[in-house]
Every structure is written in C-alpha cells, then in structure tokens.
Amino acid sequence: MPRVKELLLSHDIFENIIFHLHLRCFRLYGYVASKDQRRPWLSLARCIFFTACIWLTCVLMLARVFQGYESLIDGAITCATTVQYLAVSISTLNAIVQRKRVISLLREINVDMQQLMISADGDEWDLLLSTQKYTRKITLILWVPSMVAGLMAWSDCIYRTLFMPETVFNMPAVRAGKEQPILLFKLYPFGELCNNFVIGYLSPWYALCLGITTIPLWHTFITCLMKYMHLKLMILKKKAAEMDITRLNPFLDLDRLTPAQLNRWQVELIKTFVKDHLKIRRFVYELEQLIRVPVMADFIIFSVLICFLFFALSVGSPSKIDNLFMFLYIFVMASILWMYHWHATLIAECHEELSFAYYSAPWYAYDQTMKQTILLMIVHAQRPMKMRAVMVQLSVETFIDIVRGAYTYFNILSQLY
C-alpha cells in the first residue's frame, strides 16, 4: 500500500497544458493531491468517499433494474444509466488500485513536457499546440451530451417540484400508477426505495452530479494520455527523418567536424532515439495495464446495451424526451468505445511509420557501423505497438466489428419479437 507522500504531485504538473483541466477535476474529487495542500491525506480520503458513493448508487440502481419495469422504454433508459454507472465504478476502483501507476505516468509526462517545451522547434510546437486543441475538442465532445442529459433531468425535477408536487412527494400514488414519477425517479431508485425528502429527493441530485462529471472525466483523461503518446511518436518520427545532430548541440559547425567527430555525434543522436523509443514502448505498456480491465468491461457492457437501446427505440413507444435520452446514451457509449479504439489505432499506425522515417534519413552517407545500427532500429520499429484490453485488441477494425455485432443482435431481437 503506497504512502500518502508517494502519491502527491508537484504544483507544476497541474499546469500541464494538456492535462490541467482533468487534473484539477481529479484533485477536486481527491483522486490526485498536490504537495502544496495542507492536508493531502484528507483529499485522498475524499476519493474513497466519492468512489463509495458511486458504487452505492450503482448497487441501488441494479436493485431497481431487477425489480422489473412495465414499460420497455423506462427499462431501457434505466438499464443504460445503470450500466454506465457500473462501467465508471469499475474504472474509478481500478484508478484507486493502480493510483501509483497513474502518478508515475503523470510525473514522467511532466518531465518530458518540460524538456520538449525547452528543445522544441517551430514544427514541434505546432504539433504540441494542435494536440492541446485536439484534446480539448475530444473532452468537449463527451462532456456536452453528459451535461445535456443531466440538465434535462434536473430541469424536469425542478419544474415538477414547483408546479406538480403531487408527482414528487406522493410516492404511494406513483407506485399505484395514478401519477407519473419525475425523470430522476425513473433513472435512480432512491425515491422508490425510501419515501424521504433527503434520501429520496436530494440523493438522486447528488448521484446524477457524480455521474455526469465522473463518466466523461475518466474516459477523456485516458484519451489525453493516448494522444500524448501519439504526439511523442510523431515528434520522434520527425527527428528520425531529419537526423539533425545540431539538436544535441546547436553550436556545432558541421563543415569543421572531422569524419570521426561527425560519426560520434551521429551515434549520440541515435542513442537518444533509442532511449525515446524504449520510453514510449514502456509508457504504452503501462497505459495498457492501466486500462485493460475497464476497457474490456466497456467493450462487453456497451456493445450489448447499444443493441438493446436500438431495439427499444424500434419496438417501443418512446416520448420525445425518451428518444433524446436514448440517443444521448447511444452517442456517449459509442464515443467512449470509438475513442479508445481510434487512438490505439493512431498509436499503432504512427509507430509503423517510424521505420520509414529511419529509412528516409541519409543513411547511405554514414559509415558501415551506422548503417547496421539504423538497420537494427528499423527492424525494432517494425515490431507492432498494439494495445489490448485483456482479450480484445484496440483498433478501428475491432470497433467496426462491435458495430456490426450490435446490428446483427438487433436484427435477431427484432425477428424474435
């Protein structure tokens, strides 16, 4: 069990231009803590509390699902909400268990980012800034539908509390079918399990707040880590193609170097490429170990549920708000699966291009030893860098297979129905 001091991050890590938004949110929830905090142990204890709340919500929602629903649409919406909470519960618990690995990755990224920002040229700065914009867009794409779904549920709750209180505070009538419950009571079981204002009314508000913030936060954070690895590969590919020894010492005069001196500097440059390449491989391996179980759970849960939601839309009689909710759920789950598989594909393809970058360097002008070294690097770069989630390989082809499988199961259910 790691000590609290081993899990603290320095203040400058929270200012990282790619991860600063996610790290500040994680600090709010207590999943990470800063060294400048007065009581960092309290922040880490808060993490246990929030995680326990998510798991408690998930268990209660599963209990509500097993009670059954008269309406297929209500059952589909509740199942969709429940499995998303189940998936994020697995992810958050996994993040706590592997917190030391997450902290180690963040510290390593911070050191690399500081070195990159010092030595980067104009093209590399453009790659870095484009990565920053890209991660912001990806974060926005997943946060917006989550917030929209939450605001819809909250708005319905506020409106009906003010103007239709009999549907909120009259649970016997709701159970008897004389009144329709508010949307939050369809999504969360608190109001049906306990006819109490604090537990039955305020608890769903708190549970909904946890869901719409934690679900997109974790998945977009992992996406940022994967995109950063893609950035490191693109920069390494660029440096390998240029083979510019002045990156090691900008004051070198190439015209005055002897062949022996030139060869020595080229060997030093090749060593930096090998170190960077091995570091990227190790980072990708650590990232794969971090996400393999949660992504495998997402693969199983989301692929089945997407099929079920399409089936509910086709055979049920959903209202406009039910339609919107189900489309939002389908979009969020499909986006989560797509982000993992797409960015793993980006990493694999960019790594495959690294061998061509070594070959495009002026290797023919080097001595025999350097030629052999570059040949070995080309062979090493041809080893695939693919990520797996237990039994599933992360790739665009796998994502397409998921879509095809969901469509096939949807047709089978439609025919059986």
Side-chain angles (χ1 to χ4, degrees):
M1 185 71 178
R3 298 179 180 179
V4 174
K5 292 183 178 180
E6 298 176 356
L7 302 175
L8 300 182
L9 297 174
S10 58
H11 177 73
D12 57 328
I13 296 180
F14 290 91
E15 303 300 324
N16 189 288
I17 63 174
I18 296 178
F19 301 96
H20 69 279
L21 174 61
H22 298 83
L23 292 182
R24 289 175 182 177
C25 293
F26 279 138
R27 183 168 57 183
L28 176 65
Y29 281 106
Y31 286 99
V32 296
S34 175
K35 292 181 179 179
D36 56 1
Q37 292 180 231
R38 291 184 178 181
R39 297 180 180 86
W41 62 268
L42 186 61
S43 175
L44 299 177
R46 190 166 64 245
C47 166
I48 304 298
F49 173 75
F50 283 123
T51 304
C53 290
I54 294 175
W55 272 98
L56 177 61
T57 303
C58 181
V59 170
L60 291 174
M61 294 173 68
L62 285 172
R64 177 65 186 91
V65 169
F66 290 137
Q67 291 177 3
Y69 283 88
E70 295 182 1
S71 170
L72 178 63
I73 299 300
D74 291 344
I77 293 176
T78 306
C79 286
T81 309
T82 304
V83 297
Q84 289 203 55
Y85 270 78
L86 177 61
V88 78
S89 298
I90 295 172
S91 299
T92 51
L93 181 61
N94 178 73
I96 293 178
V97 174
Q98 303 199 60
R99 183 182 293 176
K100 191 172 182 180
R101 174 175 274 131
V102 176
I103 298 299
S104 176
L105 292 176
L106 290 173
R107 287 172 178 166
E108 184 175 344
I109 287 175
N110 185 56
V111 174
D112 286 346
M113 285 286 290
Q114 290 178 347
Q115 295 176 352
L116 175 61
M117 296 176 72
I118 294 174
S119 61
D121 57 19
D123 293 336
E124 291 168 7
W125 266 105
D126 290 340
L127 289 174
L128 178 59
L129 294 177
S130 64
T131 299
Q132 180 191 25
K133 294 179 181 178
Y134 181 88
T135 53
R136 287 179 177 177
K137 291 178 181 178
I138 287 293
T139 303
L140 188 65
I141 287 174
L142 201 58
W143 272 74
V144 168
S146 298
M147 293 301 297
V148 168
L151 290 175
M152 286 170 55
W154 278 328
S155 300
D156 175 76
C157 184
I158 294 172
Y159 174 80
R160 298 180 68 172
T161 300
L162 295 176
F163 301 102
M164 303 172 64
E166 66 276 6
T167 64
V168 181
F169 304 107
N170 189 10
M171 289 307 300
V174 171
R175 293 192 183 99
K178 299 177 181 179
E179 299 288 351
Q180 287 295 321
I182 62 175
L183 189 57
L184 274 179
F185 290 173
K186 292 182 180 180
L187 300 178
Y188 300 95
F190 301 97
E192 299 187 5
L193 294 178
C194 183
N195 191 14
N196 178 273
F197 178 78
V198 175
I199 299 177
Y201 187 75
L202 297 183
S203 295
W205 282 61
Y206 174 70
L208 181 61
C209 180
L210 284 179
I212 65 175
T213 53
T214 308
I215 292 173
L217 178 63
W218 169 256
H219 294 296
T220 53
F221 172 69
I222 298 299
T223 302
C224 290
L225 290 176
M226 299 176 77
K227 184 59 181 176
Y228 178 76
M229 281 298 95
H230 182 237
L231 170 67
K232 291 284 292 182
L233 282 169
M234 288 192 296
I235 292 177
L236 178 59
K237 184 177 67 173
K238 172 184 173 296
K239 291 180 178 179
E242 294 174 348
M243 204 67 71
D244 185 8
I245 61 174
T246 59
R247 297 297 297 266
L248 298 176
N249 187 349
F251 300 104
L252 286 177
D253 189 348
L254 300 181
D255 296 332
R256 295 185 178 183
L257 293 178
T258 63
Q261 292 175 329
L262 182 61
N263 183 70
R264 181 170 60 85
W265 282 107
Q266 290 170 347
V267 170
E268 291 297 323
L269 183 64
I270 289 295
K271 288 181 180 179
T272 62
F273 293 163
V274 173
K275 290 179 180 178
D276 289 344
H277 194 180
L278 293 177
K279 184 183 293 186
I280 292 173
R281 277 195 176 276
R282 181 172 56 83
F283 193 102
V284 171
Y285 172 78
E286 293 292 330
L287 183 58
E288 180 183 13
Q289 296 302 306
L290 175 64
I291 67 174
R292 60 199 303 265
V293 173
V295 173
M296 183 64 187
D298 293 343
F299 168 78
I300 297 173
I301 295 172
F302 290 168
S303 56
V304 173
L305 190 62
I306 289 173
C307 167
F308 178 61
L309 288 177
F310 275 119
F311 174 73
L313 283 171
S314 63
V315 303
S317 300
S319 62
K320 292 182 179 179
I321 192 170
D322 291 333
N323 273 320
L324 184 55
F325 256 100
M326 284 193 281
F327 277 117
L328 285 175
Y329 280 141
I330 292 172
F331 176 80
V332 169
M333 289 185 287
S335 298
I336 290 171
L337 292 174
W338 172 83
M339 285 193 302
Y340 286 121
H341 291 278
W342 170 250
H343 292 92
T345 302
L346 287 180
I347 293 173
E349 291 181 348
C350 191
H351 183 261
E352 291 176 359
E353 296 171 357
L354 187 58
S355 59
F356 295 98
Y358 286 130
Y359 184 77
S360 64
W363 53 268
Y364 45 82
Y366 301 153
D367 61 12
Q368 189 62 29
T369 303
M370 280 293 297
K371 291 179 181 177
Q372 293 176 353
T373 303
I374 293 177
L375 179 60
L376 290 176
M377 294 177 66
I378 292 175
V379 172
H380 182 259
Q382 289 176 341
R383 290 175 52 197
M385 186 180 287
K386 297 180 180 180
M387 302 180 68
R388 297 186 63 86
V390 188
M391 298 178 293
V392 179
Q393 180 177 314
L394 302 183
S395 65
V396 173
E397 290 78 10
T398 303
F399 177 75
I400 295 175
D401 290 339
I402 294 173
V403 176
R404 289 174 178 170
Y407 180 73
T408 301
Y409 297 144
F410 164 72
N411 284 333
I412 294 174
L413 285 175
S414 299
Q415 292 174 4
L416 293 176
Y417 185 80

